[in-house]
Short mmCIF file of all heavy atoms in Angstrom, two decimals:
data_model
loop_
_atom_site.label_atom_id
_atom_site.label_comp_id
_atom_site.label_asym_id
_atom_site.label_seq_id
_atom_site.Cartn_x
_atom_site.Cartn_y
_atom_site.Cartn_z
N SER Q 242 -3.31 5.20 11.63
CA SER Q 242 -3.21 6.02 10.44
C SER Q 242 -4.11 5.44 9.36
O SER Q 242 -4.25 4.23 9.24
CB SER Q 242 -1.77 6.06 9.96
OG SER Q 242 -1.63 6.87 8.82
N THR Q 243 -4.71 6.31 8.57
CA THR Q 243 -5.54 5.85 7.46
C THR Q 243 -4.94 6.33 6.15
O THR Q 243 -4.09 7.22 6.12
CB THR Q 243 -6.98 6.38 7.60
OG1 THR Q 243 -6.95 7.80 7.55
CG2 THR Q 243 -7.62 5.91 8.89
N GLY Q 244 -5.37 5.74 5.06
CA GLY Q 244 -4.87 6.12 3.74
C GLY Q 244 -4.78 4.89 2.85
O GLY Q 244 -5.44 3.88 3.08
N THR Q 245 -3.94 4.98 1.84
CA THR Q 245 -3.76 3.89 0.88
C THR Q 245 -2.56 3.06 1.29
O THR Q 245 -1.43 3.55 1.32
CB THR Q 245 -3.57 4.44 -0.55
OG1 THR Q 245 -4.75 5.14 -0.93
CG2 THR Q 245 -3.30 3.33 -1.54
N LEU Q 246 -2.80 1.82 1.61
CA LEU Q 246 -1.73 0.90 1.98
C LEU Q 246 -1.26 0.20 0.70
O LEU Q 246 -2.05 -0.37 -0.03
CB LEU Q 246 -2.25 -0.13 2.97
CG LEU Q 246 -1.23 -1.07 3.59
CD1 LEU Q 246 -0.20 -0.30 4.40
CD2 LEU Q 246 -1.92 -2.10 4.46
N VAL Q 247 0.04 0.29 0.42
CA VAL Q 247 0.61 -0.31 -0.79
C VAL Q 247 1.46 -1.49 -0.35
O VAL Q 247 2.23 -1.39 0.60
CB VAL Q 247 1.49 0.70 -1.55
CG1 VAL Q 247 2.17 0.05 -2.76
CG2 VAL Q 247 0.68 1.92 -1.97
N TYR Q 248 1.30 -2.60 -1.06
CA TYR Q 248 2.14 -3.74 -0.74
C TYR Q 248 2.52 -4.51 -1.99
O TYR Q 248 1.84 -4.44 -3.01
CB TYR Q 248 1.51 -4.65 0.31
CG TYR Q 248 0.09 -5.08 0.08
CD1 TYR Q 248 -0.20 -6.29 -0.52
CD2 TYR Q 248 -0.96 -4.28 0.50
CE1 TYR Q 248 -1.50 -6.70 -0.71
CE2 TYR Q 248 -2.27 -4.68 0.30
CZ TYR Q 248 -2.53 -5.89 -0.29
OH TYR Q 248 -3.83 -6.28 -0.48
N LYS Q 249 3.65 -5.21 -1.91
CA LYS Q 249 4.13 -6.06 -3.00
C LYS Q 249 3.91 -7.50 -2.61
O LYS Q 249 4.06 -7.87 -1.45
CB LYS Q 249 5.62 -5.83 -3.23
CG LYS Q 249 5.98 -4.45 -3.71
CD LYS Q 249 7.48 -4.34 -3.93
CE LYS Q 249 7.89 -2.95 -4.33
NZ LYS Q 249 9.34 -2.86 -4.56
N VAL Q 250 3.56 -8.30 -3.60
CA VAL Q 250 3.30 -9.72 -3.39
C VAL Q 250 4.29 -10.51 -4.24
O VAL Q 250 4.36 -10.33 -5.45
CB VAL Q 250 1.86 -10.08 -3.79
CG1 VAL Q 250 1.60 -11.56 -3.57
CG2 VAL Q 250 0.86 -9.22 -3.05
N ASP Q 251 5.05 -11.38 -3.60
CA ASP Q 251 6.01 -12.24 -4.29
C ASP Q 251 5.47 -13.66 -4.23
O ASP Q 251 5.61 -14.35 -3.23
CB ASP Q 251 7.38 -12.15 -3.63
CG ASP Q 251 8.44 -12.96 -4.36
OD1 ASP Q 251 8.08 -13.76 -5.26
OD2 ASP Q 251 9.63 -12.81 -4.02
N SER Q 252 4.82 -14.09 -5.31
CA SER Q 252 4.20 -15.42 -5.31
C SER Q 252 5.21 -16.56 -5.35
O SER Q 252 4.84 -17.71 -5.16
CB SER Q 252 3.22 -15.55 -6.48
OG SER Q 252 3.89 -15.38 -7.71
N SER Q 253 6.49 -16.23 -5.55
CA SER Q 253 7.50 -17.29 -5.52
C SER Q 253 7.98 -17.58 -4.10
O SER Q 253 8.62 -18.61 -3.86
CB SER Q 253 8.70 -16.92 -6.40
OG SER Q 253 9.42 -15.83 -5.85
N ALA Q 254 7.67 -16.70 -3.15
CA ALA Q 254 8.07 -16.90 -1.76
C ALA Q 254 7.03 -17.77 -1.05
O ALA Q 254 5.83 -17.64 -1.28
CB ALA Q 254 8.19 -15.57 -1.03
N LYS Q 255 7.51 -18.65 -0.21
CA LYS Q 255 6.62 -19.53 0.55
C LYS Q 255 5.95 -18.75 1.68
O LYS Q 255 6.51 -17.79 2.21
CB LYS Q 255 7.40 -20.70 1.12
CG LYS Q 255 7.96 -21.62 0.06
CD LYS Q 255 8.74 -22.75 0.70
CE LYS Q 255 9.34 -23.63 -0.38
NZ LYS Q 255 10.15 -24.70 0.18
N THR Q 256 4.77 -19.21 2.06
CA THR Q 256 4.07 -18.61 3.18
C THR Q 256 4.98 -18.65 4.41
O THR Q 256 5.63 -19.64 4.68
CB THR Q 256 2.77 -19.39 3.48
OG1 THR Q 256 1.94 -19.32 2.32
CG2 THR Q 256 2.04 -18.82 4.68
N GLY Q 257 5.04 -17.53 5.11
CA GLY Q 257 5.91 -17.43 6.29
C GLY Q 257 7.30 -16.94 5.95
O GLY Q 257 8.09 -16.64 6.82
N GLU Q 258 7.60 -16.83 4.65
CA GLU Q 258 8.92 -16.36 4.23
C GLU Q 258 8.83 -14.99 3.56
O GLU Q 258 9.67 -14.64 2.74
CB GLU Q 258 9.56 -17.38 3.28
CG GLU Q 258 9.89 -18.70 3.97
CD GLU Q 258 10.54 -19.70 3.04
OE1 GLU Q 258 10.83 -19.36 1.87
OE2 GLU Q 258 10.77 -20.83 3.49
N GLY Q 259 7.81 -14.25 3.90
CA GLY Q 259 7.69 -12.88 3.42
C GLY Q 259 7.12 -12.69 2.04
O GLY Q 259 7.64 -11.89 1.28
N PRO Q 260 6.03 -13.41 1.67
CA PRO Q 260 5.48 -13.20 0.34
C PRO Q 260 4.80 -11.84 0.17
O PRO Q 260 4.66 -11.37 -0.95
CB PRO Q 260 4.46 -14.33 0.19
CG PRO Q 260 4.07 -14.67 1.59
CD PRO Q 260 5.31 -14.43 2.41
N ILE Q 261 4.42 -11.20 1.27
CA ILE Q 261 3.79 -9.88 1.20
C ILE Q 261 4.65 -8.88 1.95
O ILE Q 261 4.99 -9.09 3.11
CB ILE Q 261 2.37 -9.91 1.79
CG1 ILE Q 261 1.49 -10.87 0.98
CG2 ILE Q 261 1.76 -8.51 1.81
CD1 ILE Q 261 0.12 -11.08 1.55
N ARG Q 262 5.01 -7.77 1.28
CA ARG Q 262 5.80 -6.72 1.90
C ARG Q 262 5.04 -5.41 1.83
O ARG Q 262 4.67 -4.96 0.75
CB ARG Q 262 7.14 -6.56 1.17
CG ARG Q 262 8.08 -7.72 1.43
CD ARG Q 262 9.47 -7.49 0.85
NE ARG Q 262 9.95 -6.15 1.05
CZ ARG Q 262 10.53 -5.42 0.09
NH1 ARG Q 262 10.67 -5.89 -1.12
NH2 ARG Q 262 10.95 -4.20 0.34
N VAL Q 263 4.82 -4.80 2.98
CA VAL Q 263 4.15 -3.50 3.05
C VAL Q 263 5.17 -2.42 2.71
O VAL Q 263 6.28 -2.42 3.22
CB VAL Q 263 3.57 -3.25 4.47
CG1 VAL Q 263 3.01 -1.85 4.58
CG2 VAL Q 263 2.51 -4.29 4.79
N MET Q 264 4.78 -1.52 1.82
CA MET Q 264 5.63 -0.40 1.45
C MET Q 264 5.29 0.77 2.39
O MET Q 264 4.17 1.27 2.38
CB MET Q 264 5.38 0.01 -0.01
CG MET Q 264 5.61 -1.11 -1.01
SD MET Q 264 7.33 -1.61 -1.14
CE MET Q 264 7.41 -3.02 -0.06
N ASP Q 265 6.23 1.16 3.19
CA ASP Q 265 6.01 2.16 4.23
C ASP Q 265 6.15 3.57 3.67
O ASP Q 265 7.21 3.95 3.16
CB ASP Q 265 7.04 1.93 5.35
CG ASP Q 265 6.74 2.71 6.60
OD1 ASP Q 265 5.87 3.59 6.58
OD2 ASP Q 265 7.39 2.43 7.62
N ALA Q 266 5.09 4.37 3.78
CA ALA Q 266 5.12 5.76 3.30
C ALA Q 266 6.07 6.62 4.12
O ALA Q 266 6.56 7.64 3.63
CB ALA Q 266 3.72 6.36 3.33
N LYS Q 267 6.34 6.22 5.34
CA LYS Q 267 7.19 7.01 6.24
C LYS Q 267 8.19 6.09 6.93
O LYS Q 267 8.14 5.89 8.14
CB LYS Q 267 6.32 7.72 7.27
CG LYS Q 267 5.34 8.70 6.64
CD LYS Q 267 4.15 8.92 7.55
CE LYS Q 267 3.00 9.54 6.82
NZ LYS Q 267 2.34 8.65 5.86
N PRO Q 268 9.13 5.51 6.17
CA PRO Q 268 10.02 4.50 6.74
C PRO Q 268 10.91 4.97 7.90
O PRO Q 268 11.25 4.18 8.76
CB PRO Q 268 10.87 4.04 5.55
CG PRO Q 268 10.76 5.13 4.56
CD PRO Q 268 9.44 5.79 4.78
N GLY Q 269 11.25 6.23 7.95
CA GLY Q 269 12.12 6.71 9.02
C GLY Q 269 11.39 7.34 10.19
O GLY Q 269 12.00 7.77 11.17
N ALA Q 270 10.06 7.37 10.12
CA ALA Q 270 9.27 8.05 11.16
C ALA Q 270 9.15 7.20 12.41
O ALA Q 270 9.11 5.99 12.36
CB ALA Q 270 7.88 8.37 10.62
N THR Q 271 9.11 7.88 13.54
CA THR Q 271 8.87 7.22 14.82
C THR Q 271 7.36 7.13 15.01
O THR Q 271 6.67 8.14 14.95
CB THR Q 271 9.50 8.02 15.98
OG1 THR Q 271 10.90 8.13 15.75
CG2 THR Q 271 9.23 7.35 17.32
N PRO Q 272 6.82 5.92 15.23
CA PRO Q 272 5.37 5.78 15.39
C PRO Q 272 4.86 6.53 16.63
O PRO Q 272 5.59 6.70 17.62
CB PRO Q 272 5.16 4.28 15.57
CG PRO Q 272 6.44 3.63 15.20
CD PRO Q 272 7.52 4.65 15.33
N ALA Q 273 3.63 6.97 16.55
CA ALA Q 273 3.00 7.63 17.69
C ALA Q 273 2.90 6.64 18.85
O ALA Q 273 2.94 5.42 18.65
CB ALA Q 273 1.61 8.12 17.29
N SER Q 274 2.76 7.15 20.03
CA SER Q 274 2.63 6.31 21.22
C SER Q 274 1.48 5.32 21.04
O SER Q 274 0.38 5.69 20.63
CB SER Q 274 2.37 7.19 22.44
OG SER Q 274 2.19 6.39 23.59
N GLY Q 275 1.75 4.06 21.31
CA GLY Q 275 0.75 3.02 21.18
C GLY Q 275 0.65 2.42 19.79
O GLY Q 275 -0.14 1.52 19.55
N CYS Q 276 1.45 2.92 18.86
CA CYS Q 276 1.43 2.43 17.48
C CYS Q 276 2.73 1.69 17.18
O CYS Q 276 3.74 1.93 17.81
CB CYS Q 276 1.26 3.58 16.50
SG CYS Q 276 -0.29 4.47 16.71
N ARG Q 277 2.66 0.80 16.19
CA ARG Q 277 3.84 0.02 15.78
C ARG Q 277 4.45 0.61 14.51
O ARG Q 277 3.87 1.49 13.88
CB ARG Q 277 3.44 -1.43 15.56
CG ARG Q 277 2.94 -2.10 16.84
CD ARG Q 277 2.33 -3.41 16.52
NE ARG Q 277 1.21 -3.16 15.60
CZ ARG Q 277 0.15 -3.90 15.48
NH1 ARG Q 277 0.04 -4.99 16.17
NH2 ARG Q 277 -0.81 -3.60 14.65
N ALA Q 278 5.60 0.09 14.12
CA ALA Q 278 6.38 0.65 13.01
C ALA Q 278 5.58 0.81 11.72
O ALA Q 278 5.69 1.84 11.06
CB ALA Q 278 7.62 -0.21 12.77
#
Side-chain angles (χ1 to χ4, degrees):
S242 181
T243 62
T245 297
L246 187 62
V247 177
Y248 50 96
K249 295 181 183 181
V250 180
D251 183 350
S252 60
S253 68
K255 294 180 182 177
T256 300
E258 294 181 4
I261 298 174
R262 289 187 42 227
V263 174
M264 303 292 97
D265 192 349
K267 298 155 197 71
T271 301
S274 178
C276 298
R277 297 169 300 207

